[in-house]
Amino acid sequence: MFLVVDQAAGFVSLDCGGKDNFTDELGLVWTPDSQIIYGEATNISVANETRKQYMTLRYFPADSRKYCYTLEVTSRTRYLVRATFLYGNFDNNNVYPKFDISLGATHWATIVISDAYTIEVEELIFLATNPTISVCLSNATTGLPFISTLELRKFNGSIYLTQFENQFFLSVSARINFGADNEDPIRFPDDPYDRIWESDSLKKANYLVDVAAGTEKVSTRMPIDVSLGERPPQKVMQTAVVGRNGSLTYRLNLDGFPGFGWAFTYFAEIEDLGPFDTRKFRLVLPDMPDVSKATVNIQENAQGKYRLYEPGYENISFPFVLSFRFGKTIDSTMGPLLNAMEINKYVKKSDGSLDGSVIAGVASLFSSADWAKEGGDPCLPVPWSWVQCNSDAQPRIVSIKLSRQNLMGSIPSDLTKLSGLVELWLDGNSLSGEIPDFTGCTNLKIMHLENNQLTGDLPSSLVNLPNLRELYVQNNMLSGTVPSGLLNKNLVLNYAGNINIRKGSSRGSQNKIIIGSTVGASVLLIATIASYLLMHKGKKKYPKRDQLEHGMSTQRLVFSLGKSATEAAHCFTLSELEDATKNFEKKIGSGGFGVVYYGKLKDGKEIAVKVLTSNSYQGKREFSNEVTFFTNLLSPSIFFPASCIC
């Protein structure tokens, strides 16, 4: 993502892959996109192309992600955004790339490169509804996505106002300057909005062919009043074509069509007509008899010579190949005249994901992290790398995976607003504070908060999540009592490593609790056999006291060897364990990360005490695995109340 401030003139010109600011021959100021954190910049060399902005580009991996540029705009203002692509065989593969470009959540166009040395141009006219926009590249089917330039141009007033602008963008398909005396386009500074008006003299495939005999170019140096409507530049209106034989005919391919579009023609009478001359004509569209404008009389319609008249259609259906004709009426002495034409296709705006603003608020809390800079809509057209979404037309976020991303601070409260959330992975970070109320996330099934620094109680609100099946909160600093409702749910629950947490009563629970626990007669049998085999071996070895007192890095597993499998939890002091084991006299087992000792309490109950002696993460994990083993070894119907060391 690259954030650039909206310039005072309303122009932003990014030289993608460039390194320095510069001003081009038109007077446009270009800035490099050097602050973007994604992609690679490279230089290219193309014969006959000397413009500096096309000597570099930025390319991106052909993966499942999208790569976005984010630009600041003024809300409720219309803009033109232009992206250009000059391949130049930058990757030395001669594989012509094909990929998508989108504006926010809306698919804008598919970029298909068919020539290494031709610049592909895409333009979109839109009404800004937010303070920023994102232009994103994604979904490469061949080659690598890349971009040469990205430009933003601000419009004034009601230019390009349509009744559909809240639901549709306008994708520019054709903008033509008729009567041009060379192949060069007209743009800034002649057009104050820097629209590119292509010359009708330009030679390219299926562009303005089938020209009628008698077509002639005309021009004037007289000033043209273009103060109305879309305001094409005066230089465009000072040239035109005239059908001396009574007709103007053309055929051209319309990029993006078939579909519905916006089409306007621009006329200005720039010839001196005799006192008895008239110029009247009609537009004829083959196979579209119902689409017919009234007779055009330019001088009369514009209320004078050298004045703009711009009839058009705000909603018309066009094919991909458009053939059109202007023909003079019977009572006209002069053939038709045409100065310019503009055709745009309507692109349906996507409403975006329902959780877009919520998850954007979460990302803003970690704005310095790379994962928070992906830009665009979190779900469309492709999701962020750490997000999964459902397939609804307006998607919802169903999974967030931010494991081991060095997150600090409290768990963002906005996460509790994601009503479609199914999985939440925040494990392995440095999150602190209390676990917020996730009652609104009724679809939540899997919740991983382990290996953080969370404090406070395990919220009773978690009981109200009807679909919760896995809850991992081990190795935090939680305290209080585990809500009995969690113990009675069909739930995989792990809260080991929270030394101040206690387990409440759990009548008839069926859940598997992965935590240091007291167990029943099955473990008694195992421990008794192990004790008998080991107690007669060599000299006794005692654990050092500082091994038992190094705080949270030492964990202990206490198994009750009594007859009951459902007795209440008990918190042991270190001195009680020392008395029960006679200062850890009888070693009855050992593993890679801990030693098991035999002991007997004052009431005669036999216990086995395991002391975790490794401070490593691996040691803690192995310890948890052993507990899980003993849990699974026994019948899942047996309940294991927790014990702890105080």
Side-chain angles (χ1 to χ4, degrees), residues 572-606:
F572 297 95
T573 65
L574 178 58
S575 60
E576 285 178 313
L577 291 182
E578 288 175 332
D579 291 342
T581 60
K582 296 183 179 180
N583 289 321
F584 303 93
E585 179 180 31
K586 294 182 180 180
K587 175 181 173 183
I588 61 173
S590 64
F593 299 92
V595 179
V596 181
Y597 297 92
Y598 172 83
K600 181 181 288 188
L601 299 176
K602 291 182 179 180
D603 60 3
K605 184 184 299 180
E606 294 177 295

PDB file of all heavy atoms in Angstrom, residues 572-606:
ATOM      1  N   PHE A 572      -2.084 -26.976  46.276  1.00  0.00           N
ATOM      2  CA  PHE A 572      -1.026 -27.415  47.184  1.00  0.00           C
ATOM      3  C   PHE A 572       0.038 -26.343  47.311  1.00  0.00           C
ATOM      4  O   PHE A 572       0.391 -25.668  46.349  1.00  0.00           O
ATOM      5  CB  PHE A 572      -0.366 -28.701  46.659  1.00  0.00           C
ATOM      6  CG  PHE A 572      -1.299 -29.879  46.575  1.00  0.00           C
ATOM      7  CD1 PHE A 572      -1.936 -30.182  45.391  1.00  0.00           C
ATOM      8  CD2 PHE A 572      -1.528 -30.676  47.669  1.00  0.00           C
ATOM      9  CE1 PHE A 572      -2.788 -31.270  45.301  1.00  0.00           C
ATOM     10  CE2 PHE A 572      -2.375 -31.763  47.593  1.00  0.00           C
ATOM     11  CZ  PHE A 572      -3.013 -32.061  46.401  1.00  0.00           C
ATOM     12  N   THR A 573       0.592 -26.231  48.538  1.00  0.00           N
ATOM     13  CA  THR A 573       1.764 -25.384  48.735  1.00  0.00           C
ATOM     14  C   THR A 573       3.007 -26.211  48.481  1.00  0.00           C
ATOM     15  O   THR A 573       2.980 -27.449  48.502  1.00  0.00           O
ATOM     16  CB  THR A 573       1.809 -24.823  50.158  1.00  0.00           C
ATOM     17  OG1 THR A 573       1.987 -25.902  51.073  1.00  0.00           O
ATOM     18  CG2 THR A 573       0.524 -24.059  50.475  1.00  0.00           C
ATOM     19  N   LEU A 574       4.122 -25.526  48.227  1.00  0.00           N
ATOM     20  CA  LEU A 574       5.378 -26.234  48.003  1.00  0.00           C
ATOM     21  C   LEU A 574       5.762 -27.048  49.230  1.00  0.00           C
ATOM     22  O   LEU A 574       6.235 -28.183  49.117  1.00  0.00           O
ATOM     23  CB  LEU A 574       6.485 -25.239  47.647  1.00  0.00           C
ATOM     24  CG  LEU A 574       7.868 -25.836  47.430  1.00  0.00           C
ATOM     25  CD1 LEU A 574       7.858 -26.876  46.322  1.00  0.00           C
ATOM     26  CD2 LEU A 574       8.885 -24.737  47.116  1.00  0.00           C
ATOM     27  N   SER A 575       5.543 -26.495  50.431  1.00  0.00           N
ATOM     28  CA  SER A 575       5.918 -27.225  51.656  1.00  0.00           C
ATOM     29  C   SER A 575       5.084 -28.489  51.813  1.00  0.00           C
ATOM     30  O   SER A 575       5.590 -29.530  52.272  1.00  0.00           O
ATOM     31  CB  SER A 575       5.744 -26.322  52.883  1.00  0.00           C
ATOM     32  OG  SER A 575       4.398 -25.904  53.008  1.00  0.00           O
ATOM     33  N   GLU A 576       3.786 -28.452  51.398  1.00  0.00           N
ATOM     34  CA  GLU A 576       2.958 -29.646  51.475  1.00  0.00           C
ATOM     35  C   GLU A 576       3.501 -30.741  50.564  1.00  0.00           C
ATOM     36  O   GLU A 576       3.534 -31.922  50.928  1.00  0.00           O
ATOM     37  CB  GLU A 576       1.517 -29.314  51.081  1.00  0.00           C
ATOM     38  CG  GLU A 576       0.738 -28.552  52.131  1.00  0.00           C
ATOM     39  CD  GLU A 576      -0.661 -28.212  51.668  1.00  0.00           C
ATOM     40  OE1 GLU A 576      -0.814 -27.725  50.528  1.00  0.00           O
ATOM     41  OE2 GLU A 576      -1.608 -28.440  52.439  1.00  0.00           O
ATOM     42  N   LEU A 577       3.967 -30.356  49.377  1.00  0.00           N
ATOM     43  CA  LEU A 577       4.516 -31.341  48.456  1.00  0.00           C
ATOM     44  C   LEU A 577       5.842 -31.885  48.955  1.00  0.00           C
ATOM     45  O   LEU A 577       6.155 -33.067  48.765  1.00  0.00           O
ATOM     46  CB  LEU A 577       4.684 -30.725  47.067  1.00  0.00           C
ATOM     47  CG  LEU A 577       3.390 -30.392  46.318  1.00  0.00           C
ATOM     48  CD1 LEU A 577       3.698 -29.824  44.936  1.00  0.00           C
ATOM     49  CD2 LEU A 577       2.510 -31.623  46.184  1.00  0.00           C
ATOM     50  N   GLU A 578       6.625 -31.022  49.560  1.00  0.00           N
ATOM     51  CA  GLU A 578       7.898 -31.502  50.122  1.00  0.00           C
ATOM     52  C   GLU A 578       7.649 -32.522  51.234  1.00  0.00           C
ATOM     53  O   GLU A 578       8.343 -33.551  51.330  1.00  0.00           O
ATOM     54  CB  GLU A 578       8.714 -30.319  50.650  1.00  0.00           C
ATOM     55  CG  GLU A 578       9.297 -29.457  49.541  1.00  0.00           C
ATOM     56  CD  GLU A 578      10.003 -28.225  50.083  1.00  0.00           C
ATOM     57  OE1 GLU A 578       9.621 -27.754  51.172  1.00  0.00           O
ATOM     58  OE2 GLU A 578      10.932 -27.742  49.421  1.00  0.00           O
ATOM     59  N   ASP A 579       6.644 -32.256  52.087  1.00  0.00           N
ATOM     60  CA  ASP A 579       6.308 -33.208  53.153  1.00  0.00           C
ATOM     61  C   ASP A 579       5.773 -34.505  52.564  1.00  0.00           C
ATOM     62  O   ASP A 579       6.137 -35.603  53.009  1.00  0.00           O
ATOM     63  CB  ASP A 579       5.257 -32.602  54.099  1.00  0.00           C
ATOM     64  CG  ASP A 579       5.834 -31.454  54.926  1.00  0.00           C
ATOM     65  OD1 ASP A 579       7.077 -31.370  55.022  1.00  0.00           O
ATOM     66  OD2 ASP A 579       5.034 -30.635  55.437  1.00  0.00           O
ATOM     67  N   ALA A 580       4.893 -34.383  51.564  1.00  0.00           N
ATOM     68  CA  ALA A 580       4.261 -35.573  50.997  1.00  0.00           C
ATOM     69  C   ALA A 580       5.271 -36.467  50.292  1.00  0.00           C
ATOM     70  O   ALA A 580       5.151 -37.700  50.297  1.00  0.00           O
ATOM     71  CB  ALA A 580       3.167 -35.167  50.023  1.00  0.00           C
ATOM     72  N   THR A 581       6.288 -35.868  49.645  1.00  0.00           N
ATOM     73  CA  THR A 581       7.267 -36.655  48.881  1.00  0.00           C
ATOM     74  C   THR A 581       8.551 -36.901  49.651  1.00  0.00           C
ATOM     75  O   THR A 581       9.499 -37.485  49.099  1.00  0.00           O
ATOM     76  CB  THR A 581       7.610 -35.924  47.576  1.00  0.00           C
ATOM     77  OG1 THR A 581       8.171 -34.638  47.890  1.00  0.00           O
ATOM     78  CG2 THR A 581       6.387 -35.749  46.701  1.00  0.00           C
ATOM     79  N   LYS A 582       8.553 -36.412  50.951  1.00  0.00           N
ATOM     80  CA  LYS A 582       9.780 -36.515  51.765  1.00  0.00           C
ATOM     81  C   LYS A 582      10.956 -35.911  51.008  1.00  0.00           C
ATOM     82  O   LYS A 582      11.979 -36.539  50.777  1.00  0.00           O
ATOM     83  CB  LYS A 582      10.058 -37.967  52.136  1.00  0.00           C
ATOM     84  CG  LYS A 582       8.987 -38.595  53.014  1.00  0.00           C
ATOM     85  CD  LYS A 582       9.344 -40.005  53.420  1.00  0.00           C
ATOM     86  CE  LYS A 582       8.244 -40.599  54.320  1.00  0.00           C
ATOM     87  NZ  LYS A 582       8.570 -41.997  54.726  1.00  0.00           N
ATOM     88  N   ASN A 583      10.733 -34.633  50.680  1.00  0.00           N
ATOM     89  CA  ASN A 583      11.729 -33.881  49.912  1.00  0.00           C
ATOM     90  C   ASN A 583      12.097 -34.574  48.601  1.00  0.00           C
ATOM     91  O   ASN A 583      13.252 -34.649  48.196  1.00  0.00           O
ATOM     92  CB  ASN A 583      12.987 -33.621  50.738  1.00  0.00           C
ATOM     93  CG  ASN A 583      12.749 -32.612  51.825  1.00  0.00           C
ATOM     94  OD1 ASN A 583      12.038 -31.623  51.617  1.00  0.00           O
ATOM     95  ND2 ASN A 583      13.305 -32.860  52.997  1.00  0.00           N
ATOM     96  N   PHE A 584      11.020 -35.069  47.922  1.00  0.00           N
ATOM     97  CA  PHE A 584      11.179 -35.680  46.612  1.00  0.00           C
ATOM     98  C   PHE A 584      12.164 -36.850  46.651  1.00  0.00           C
ATOM     99  O   PHE A 584      13.138 -36.929  45.909  1.00  0.00           O
ATOM    100  CB  PHE A 584      11.599 -34.633  45.559  1.00  0.00           C
ATOM    101  CG  PHE A 584      10.629 -33.496  45.451  1.00  0.00           C
ATOM    102  CD1 PHE A 584      10.809 -32.340  46.194  1.00  0.00           C
ATOM    103  CD2 PHE A 584       9.508 -33.613  44.643  1.00  0.00           C
ATOM    104  CE1 PHE A 584       9.899 -31.308  46.101  1.00  0.00           C
ATOM    105  CE2 PHE A 584       8.595 -32.582  44.556  1.00  0.00           C
ATOM    106  CZ  PHE A 584       8.782 -31.418  45.302  1.00  0.00           C
ATOM    107  N   GLU A 585      11.824 -37.770  47.604  1.00  0.00           N
ATOM    108  CA  GLU A 585      12.723 -38.896  47.861  1.00  0.00           C
ATOM    109  C   GLU A 585      12.597 -39.982  46.808  1.00  0.00           C
ATOM    110  O   GLU A 585      13.601 -40.538  46.354  1.00  0.00           O
ATOM    111  CB  GLU A 585      12.399 -39.478  49.250  1.00  0.00           C
ATOM    112  CG  GLU A 585      13.259 -40.674  49.626  1.00  0.00           C
ATOM    113  CD  GLU A 585      12.910 -41.222  50.997  1.00  0.00           C
ATOM    114  OE1 GLU A 585      11.732 -41.121  51.378  1.00  0.00           O
ATOM    115  OE2 GLU A 585      13.804 -41.731  51.654  1.00  0.00           O
ATOM    116  N   LYS A 586      11.335 -40.316  46.388  1.00  0.00           N
ATOM    117  CA  LYS A 586      11.127 -41.461  45.513  1.00  0.00           C
ATOM    118  C   LYS A 586      10.800 -41.009  44.094  1.00  0.00           C
ATOM    119  O   LYS A 586       9.725 -40.501  43.818  1.00  0.00           O
ATOM    120  CB  LYS A 586       9.983 -42.339  46.041  1.00  0.00           C
ATOM    121  CG  LYS A 586      10.282 -42.998  47.370  1.00  0.00           C
ATOM    122  CD  LYS A 586       9.121 -43.891  47.782  1.00  0.00           C
ATOM    123  CE  LYS A 586       9.410 -44.564  49.125  1.00  0.00           C
ATOM    124  NZ  LYS A 586       8.276 -45.445  49.533  1.00  0.00           N
ATOM    125  N   LYS A 587      11.768 -41.216  43.225  1.00  0.00           N
ATOM    126  CA  LYS A 587      11.571 -40.922  41.799  1.00  0.00           C
ATOM    127  C   LYS A 587      10.958 -42.144  41.142  1.00  0.00           C
ATOM    128  O   LYS A 587      11.533 -43.236  41.183  1.00  0.00           O
ATOM    129  CB  LYS A 587      12.904 -40.593  41.155  1.00  0.00           C
ATOM    130  CG  LYS A 587      12.841 -40.384  39.647  1.00  0.00           C
ATOM    131  CD  LYS A 587      14.233 -40.090  39.107  1.00  0.00           C
ATOM    132  CE  LYS A 587      14.221 -40.049  37.597  1.00  0.00           C
ATOM    133  NZ  LYS A 587      15.581 -39.830  37.039  1.00  0.00           N
ATOM    134  N   ILE A 588       9.772 -41.991  40.555  1.00  0.00           N
ATOM    135  CA  ILE A 588       9.096 -43.146  39.952  1.00  0.00           C
ATOM    136  C   ILE A 588       8.962 -43.027  38.435  1.00  0.00           C
ATOM    137  O   ILE A 588       8.332 -43.849  37.790  1.00  0.00           O
ATOM    138  CB  ILE A 588       7.696 -43.351  40.572  1.00  0.00           C
ATOM    139  CG1 ILE A 588       6.823 -42.111  40.325  1.00  0.00           C
ATOM    140  CG2 ILE A 588       7.797 -43.688  42.045  1.00  0.00           C
ATOM    141  CD1 ILE A 588       5.390 -42.314  40.767  1.00  0.00           C
ATOM    142  N   GLY A 589       9.543 -42.005  37.847  1.00  0.00           N
ATOM    143  CA  GLY A 589       9.489 -41.858  36.402  1.00  0.00           C
ATOM    144  C   GLY A 589      10.171 -40.585  35.957  1.00  0.00           C
ATOM    145  O   GLY A 589      10.453 -39.694  36.777  1.00  0.00           O
ATOM    146  N   SER A 590      10.482 -40.488  34.691  1.00  0.00           N
ATOM    147  CA  SER A 590      11.105 -39.275  34.159  1.00  0.00           C
ATOM    148  C   SER A 590      10.871 -39.208  32.667  1.00  0.00           C
ATOM    149  O   SER A 590      10.586 -40.207  32.008  1.00  0.00           O
ATOM    150  CB  SER A 590      12.609 -39.257  34.446  1.00  0.00           C
ATOM    151  OG  SER A 590      13.259 -40.323  33.778  1.00  0.00           O
ATOM    152  N   GLY A 591      10.972 -38.009  32.122  1.00  0.00           N
ATOM    153  CA  GLY A 591      10.835 -37.781  30.686  1.00  0.00           C
ATOM    154  C   GLY A 591      11.871 -36.777  30.239  1.00  0.00           C
ATOM    155  O   GLY A 591      12.759 -36.389  31.010  1.00  0.00           O
ATOM    156  N   GLY A 592      11.740 -36.355  28.984  1.00  0.00           N
ATOM    157  CA  GLY A 592      12.727 -35.425  28.456  1.00  0.00           C
ATOM    158  C   GLY A 592      12.722 -34.086  29.148  1.00  0.00           C
ATOM    159  O   GLY A 592      13.725 -33.386  29.169  1.00  0.00           O
ATOM    160  N   PHE A 593      11.565 -33.681  29.756  1.00  0.00           N
ATOM    161  CA  PHE A 593      11.459 -32.344  30.308  1.00  0.00           C
ATOM    162  C   PHE A 593      10.937 -32.339  31.738  1.00  0.00           C
ATOM    163  O   PHE A 593      10.574 -31.284  32.242  1.00  0.00           O
ATOM    164  CB  PHE A 593      10.546 -31.474  29.421  1.00  0.00           C
ATOM    165  CG  PHE A 593      11.055 -31.321  28.040  1.00  0.00           C
ATOM    166  CD1 PHE A 593      10.648 -32.201  27.038  1.00  0.00           C
ATOM    167  CD2 PHE A 593      11.967 -30.333  27.721  1.00  0.00           C
ATOM    168  CE1 PHE A 593      11.120 -32.063  25.754  1.00  0.00           C
ATOM    169  CE2 PHE A 593      12.440 -30.198  26.441  1.00  0.00           C
ATOM    170  CZ  PHE A 593      12.032 -31.070  25.450  1.00  0.00           C
ATOM    171  N   GLY A 594      10.882 -33.496  32.380  1.00  0.00           N
ATOM    172  CA  GLY A 594      10.388 -33.503  33.751  1.00  0.00           C
ATOM    173  C   GLY A 594      10.601 -34.841  34.438  1.00  0.00           C
ATOM    174  O   GLY A 594      10.838 -35.870  33.816  1.00  0.00           O
ATOM    175  N   VAL A 595      10.508 -34.797  35.787  1.00  0.00           N
ATOM    176  CA  VAL A 595      10.687 -35.980  36.635  1.00  0.00           C
ATOM    177  C   VAL A 595       9.433 -36.174  37.462  1.00  0.00           C
ATOM    178  O   VAL A 595       8.836 -35.199  37.933  1.00  0.00           O
ATOM    179  CB  VAL A 595      11.909 -35.814  37.562  1.00  0.00           C
ATOM    180  CG1 VAL A 595      12.080 -37.039  38.459  1.00  0.00           C
ATOM    181  CG2 VAL A 595      13.167 -35.576  36.738  1.00  0.00           C
ATOM    182  N   VAL A 596       9.002 -37.444  37.675  1.00  0.00           N
ATOM    183  CA  VAL A 596       7.815 -37.775  38.456  1.00  0.00           C
ATOM    184  C   VAL A 596       8.259 -38.404  39.788  1.00  0.00           C
ATOM    185  O   VAL A 596       9.093 -39.322  39.805  1.00  0.00           O
ATOM    186  CB  VAL A 596       6.892 -38.743  37.695  1.00  0.00           C
ATOM    187  CG1 VAL A 596       5.642 -39.052  38.524  1.00  0.00           C
ATOM    188  CG2 VAL A 596       6.500 -38.145  36.344  1.00  0.00           C
ATOM    189  N   TYR A 597       7.668 -37.876  40.901  1.00  0.00           N
ATOM    190  CA  TYR A 597       7.998 -38.360  42.245  1.00  0.00           C
ATOM    191  C   TYR A 597       6.756 -38.924  42.917  1.00  0.00           C
ATOM    192  O   TYR A 597       5.643 -38.461  42.687  1.00  0.00           O
ATOM    193  CB  TYR A 597       8.566 -37.220  43.097  1.00  0.00           C
ATOM    194  CG  TYR A 597       9.865 -36.667  42.551  1.00  0.00           C
ATOM    195  CD1 TYR A 597       9.857 -35.585  41.672  1.00  0.00           C
ATOM    196  CD2 TYR A 597      11.087 -37.235  42.914  1.00  0.00           C
ATOM    197  CE1 TYR A 597      11.036 -35.073  41.163  1.00  0.00           C
ATOM    198  CE2 TYR A 597      12.277 -36.727  42.413  1.00  0.00           C
ATOM    199  CZ  TYR A 597      12.247 -35.651  41.530  1.00  0.00           C
ATOM    200  OH  TYR A 597      13.421 -35.154  41.037  1.00  0.00           O
ATOM    201  N   TYR A 598       6.987 -39.935  43.806  1.00  0.00           N
ATOM    202  CA  TYR A 598       5.912 -40.533  44.585  1.00  0.00           C
ATOM    203  C   TYR A 598       5.738 -39.745  45.876  1.00  0.00           C
ATOM    204  O   TYR A 598       6.683 -39.270  46.477  1.00  0.00           O
ATOM    205  CB  TYR A 598       6.246 -42.000  44.919  1.00  0.00           C
ATOM    206  CG  TYR A 598       5.278 -42.624  45.891  1.00  0.00           C
ATOM    207  CD1 TYR A 598       4.074 -43.155  45.457  1.00  0.00           C
ATOM    208  CD2 TYR A 598       5.577 -42.648  47.266  1.00  0.00           C
ATOM    209  CE1 TYR A 598       3.182 -43.712  46.336  1.00  0.00           C
ATOM    210  CE2 TYR A 598       4.682 -43.207  48.155  1.00  0.00           C
ATOM    211  CZ  TYR A 598       3.488 -43.744  47.703  1.00  0.00           C
ATOM    212  OH  TYR A 598       2.609 -44.287  48.585  1.00  0.00           O
ATOM    213  N   GLY A 599       4.439 -39.633  46.314  1.00  0.00           N
ATOM    214  CA  GLY A 599       4.178 -38.954  47.574  1.00  0.00           C
ATOM    215  C   GLY A 599       2.898 -39.441  48.206  1.00  0.00           C
ATOM    216  O   GLY A 599       2.075 -40.114  47.579  1.00  0.00           O
ATOM    217  N   LYS A 600       2.748 -39.126  49.519  1.00  0.00           N
ATOM    218  CA  LYS A 600       1.536 -39.480  50.251  1.00  0.00           C
ATOM    219  C   LYS A 600       1.155 -38.295  51.117  1.00  0.00           C
ATOM    220  O   LYS A 600       1.971 -37.776  51.881  1.00  0.00           O
ATOM    221  CB  LYS A 600       1.756 -40.713  51.113  1.00  0.00           C
ATOM    222  CG  LYS A 600       0.499 -41.143  51.884  1.00  0.00           C
ATOM    223  CD  LYS A 600       0.749 -42.358  52.761  1.00  0.00           C
ATOM    224  CE  LYS A 600       0.899 -43.599  51.916  1.00  0.00           C
ATOM    225  NZ  LYS A 600       0.963 -44.832  52.773  1.00  0.00           N
ATOM    226  N   LEU A 601      -0.122 -37.862  50.989  1.00  0.00           N
ATOM    227  CA  LEU A 601      -0.601 -36.730  51.772  1.00  0.00           C
ATOM    228  C   LEU A 601      -0.897 -37.157  53.198  1.00  0.00           C
ATOM    229  O   LEU A 601      -0.934 -38.357  53.524  1.00  0.00           O
ATOM    230  CB  LEU A 601      -1.855 -36.146  51.119  1.00  0.00           C
ATOM    231  CG  LEU A 601      -1.680 -35.610  49.679  1.00  0.00           C
ATOM    232  CD1 LEU A 601      -3.022 -35.156  49.125  1.00  0.00           C
ATOM    233  CD2 LEU A 601      -0.669 -34.472  49.650  1.00  0.00           C
ATOM    234  N   LYS A 602      -1.151 -36.175  54.056  1.00  0.00           N
ATOM    235  CA  LYS A 602      -1.393 -36.461  55.476  1.00  0.00           C
ATOM    236  C   LYS A 602      -2.648 -37.295  55.680  1.00  0.00           C
ATOM    237  O   LYS A 602      -2.751 -38.025  56.673  1.00  0.00           O
ATOM    238  CB  LYS A 602      -1.511 -35.143  56.247  1.00  0.00           C
ATOM    239  CG  LYS A 602      -0.183 -34.391  56.347  1.00  0.00           C
ATOM    240  CD  LYS A 602      -0.340 -33.111  57.152  1.00  0.00           C
ATOM    241  CE  LYS A 602       0.987 -32.366  57.268  1.00  0.00           C
ATOM    242  NZ  LYS A 602       0.852 -31.111  58.046  1.00  0.00           N
ATOM    243  N   ASP A 603      -3.617 -37.181  54.747  1.00  0.00           N
ATOM    244  CA  ASP A 603      -4.845 -37.971  54.896  1.00  0.00           C
ATOM    245  C   ASP A 603      -4.694 -39.375  54.307  1.00  0.00           C
ATOM    246  O   ASP A 603      -5.653 -40.123  54.202  1.00  0.00           O
ATOM    247  CB  ASP A 603      -6.035 -37.265  54.248  1.00  0.00           C
ATOM    248  CG  ASP A 603      -5.834 -37.042  52.760  1.00  0.00           C
ATOM    249  OD1 ASP A 603      -4.797 -37.490  52.227  1.00  0.00           O
ATOM    250  OD2 ASP A 603      -6.714 -36.424  52.125  1.00  0.00           O
ATOM    251  N   GLY A 604      -3.465 -39.723  53.900  1.00  0.00           N
ATOM    252  CA  GLY A 604      -3.201 -41.047  53.382  1.00  0.00           C
ATOM    253  C   GLY A 604      -3.346 -41.173  51.883  1.00  0.00           C
ATOM    254  O   GLY A 604      -3.052 -42.226  51.307  1.00  0.00           O
ATOM    255  N   LYS A 605      -3.815 -40.124  51.211  1.00  0.00           N
ATOM    256  CA  LYS A 605      -4.004 -40.189  49.760  1.00  0.00           C
ATOM    257  C   LYS A 605      -2.647 -40.180  49.064  1.00  0.00           C
ATOM    258  O   LYS A 605      -1.776 -39.367  49.364  1.00  0.00           O
ATOM    259  CB  LYS A 605      -4.838 -39.004  49.297  1.00  0.00           C
ATOM    260  CG  LYS A 605      -5.164 -39.037  47.804  1.00  0.00           C
ATOM    261  CD  LYS A 605      -5.901 -37.791  47.376  1.00  0.00           C
ATOM    262  CE  LYS A 605      -7.225 -37.664  48.113  1.00  0.00           C
ATOM    263  NZ  LYS A 605      -7.962 -36.462  47.701  1.00  0.00           N
ATOM    264  N   GLU A 606      -2.462 -41.118  48.125  1.00  0.00           N
ATOM    265  CA  GLU A 606      -1.221 -41.208  47.380  1.00  0.00           C
ATOM    266  C   GLU A 606      -1.281 -40.297  46.149  1.00  0.00           C
ATOM    267  O   GLU A 606      -2.307 -40.214  45.469  1.00  0.00           O
ATOM    268  CB  GLU A 606      -0.974 -42.653  46.935  1.00  0.00           C
ATOM    269  CG  GLU A 606      -0.718 -43.595  48.104  1.00  0.00           C
ATOM    270  CD  GLU A 606      -0.560 -45.026  47.628  1.00  0.00           C
ATOM    271  OE1 GLU A 606      -1.568 -45.559  47.111  1.00  0.00           O
ATOM    272  OE2 GLU A 606       0.547 -45.587  47.751  1.00  0.00           O
TER     273      GLU A 606
END
